[in-house]
Amino acid sequence: MDNQNLLKRNNDPEKQRRIFFAALSGFVAGTIAALLSGFINTLLFPDLPLYLNGSAVFIAWVLWAVLGGIFAGVAAYSFDDMKSILLSALSMAVTILILNFMQGAESALLNVIVLVGLSFPFTAMMTPLAWLFFWLAHHFVQALSLNGWARSKIVLINIMIILALGTAPGIYSKMNSRAERAVRVIHELLQEAAHASAPETIHKALLMTEGFTDHTDQPYTLSQVPSENSTEGVDVTAHYEDGYTILCTVVLYPGSAPSIFDCYAGWAP
């Protein structure tokens, strides 16, 4: 009898609809987050030739949308307790921590210790998000039994919440004022070099970079990350069509003009 009741609960149409709507909500919110994160800077700064890594955007979409849909679906599995919500929150927390450790792995043992130590506070942080996906799924299912404005109101509120969930991390990916200024500094120097009447007028850091003089009049795109060498710096990379790259560190101290460390040439893999 217990096995029959368990099978009945697992095949409950309402549970299946609840899981579907939760997974769909997570997938849509993740898709919005991934696309906005990848394109927000090109949309906000159309005057800058910003670098867009298509494969990175695709990977971000897989992580945000696919995993988001799975974790949201897990949150809606149970209806009458917090087990599935906590399991979803724990899965989100562990995944985020693992991805961060993979970017800067130094000691496997240390990473495991830190992962275990941070998993519980991160789970607490992710629990409201998991509960929200459960809430969305419950209200989508509730809307199916309603008609007219009552149904439309629930659907519209849910859609607005999903849009907000996807937009928040996308906006977080916007370049801050320091990064924007650093990119503009390098863009201006590259433009000045492209129109220079003599090599002596080109900034010394660029002129001394191997291979730059062969690329002065070629199109490029720019990307930026926080500098690895300076707490007040931004590493700006110029990407050329033939794979040639230049990385320059722009240091921006408050109240001072930007200064540029030596630039380094390279080739994209």
Side-chain angles (χ1 to χ4, degrees):
M1 179 66 72
D2 291 338
N3 291 336
Q4 290 179 350
N5 290 335
L6 179 62
L7 181 63
K8 183 178 180 180
R9 288 198 301 269
N10 289 336
N11 292 327
D12 181 7
E14 182 175 336
K15 173 186 283 190
Q16 294 175 359
R17 288 193 291 268
R18 194 169 64 243
I19 294 174
F20 169 77
F21 282 120
L24 181 61
S25 300
F27 180 86
V28 173
T31 298
I32 295 172
L35 294 179
L36 191 57
S37 297
F39 293 97
I40 186 170
N41 288 318
T42 57
L43 294 174
L44 293 178
F45 307 104
D47 58 320
L48 292 174
L50 297 178
Y51 177 72
L52 183 62
N53 189 332
S55 60
V57 173
F58 175 76
I59 293 174
W61 174 78
V62 171
L63 292 175
W64 282 94
V66 177
L67 292 181
I70 293 174
F71 295 152
V74 171
Y77 182 82
S78 176
F79 179 78
D80 53 1
D81 57 43
M82 289 284 292
K83 291 180 181 179
S84 61
I85 293 176
L86 291 176
L87 178 60
S88 174
L90 176 61
S91 301
M92 294 180 191
V94 171
T95 300
I96 292 172
L97 290 172
I98 289 176
L99 291 174
N100 278 276
F101 291 151
M102 288 175 60
Q103 294 177 1
E106 295 180 358
S107 168
L109 178 60
L110 178 61
N111 284 345
V112 171
I113 294 174
V114 175
L115 174 63
V116 174
L118 293 179
S119 60
F120 294 104
F122 264 73
T123 298
M125 293 171 59
M126 293 294 107
T127 298
L129 178 60
W131 178 85
L132 188 55
F133 282 121
F134 168 84
W135 184 90
L136 288 168
H138 174 71
H139 280 76
F140 271 126
V141 172
Q142 181 184 11
L144 295 178
S145 61
L146 302 175
N147 294 301
W149 171 241
R151 170 187 286 188
S152 299
K153 181 173 67 174
I154 292 177
V155 173
L156 287 174
I157 292 174
N158 282 12
I159 290 175
M160 291 175 63
I161 293 174
I162 292 171
L163 289 174
L165 289 175
T167 302
I171 293 177
Y172 180 76
S173 300
K174 174 186 174 295
M175 283 195 301
N176 57 35
S177 58
R178 176 185 296 271
E180 178 191 355
R181 188 181 181 193
V183 172
R184 291 191 181 279
V185 166
I186 298 302
H187 180 49
E188 291 173 2
L189 291 182
L190 293 174
Q191 288 297 298
E192 291 173 0
H195 300 89
S197 57
E200 294 76 15
T201 61
I202 299 175
H203 193 282
K204 184 174 65 173
L206 293 176
L207 190 61
M208 296 178 62
T209 303
E210 182 180 0
F212 174 72
T213 54
D214 297 327
H215 293 80
T216 53
D217 58 347
Q218 295 186 17
Y220 57 86
T221 54
L222 299 170
S223 63
Q224 57 78 30
V225 294
S227 176
E228 297 181 356
N229 303 314
S230 172
T231 56
E232 300 294 333
V234 178
D235 288 341
V236 181
T237 302
H239 307 260
Y240 291 83
E241 294 179 349
D242 61 354
Y244 177 75
T245 62
I246 299 175
L247 186 151
C248 298
T249 298
V250 182
V251 180
L252 302 131
Y253 289 108
S256 301
S259 58
I260 300 175
F261 284 2
D262 292 339
C263 298
Y264 301 92
W267 293 90

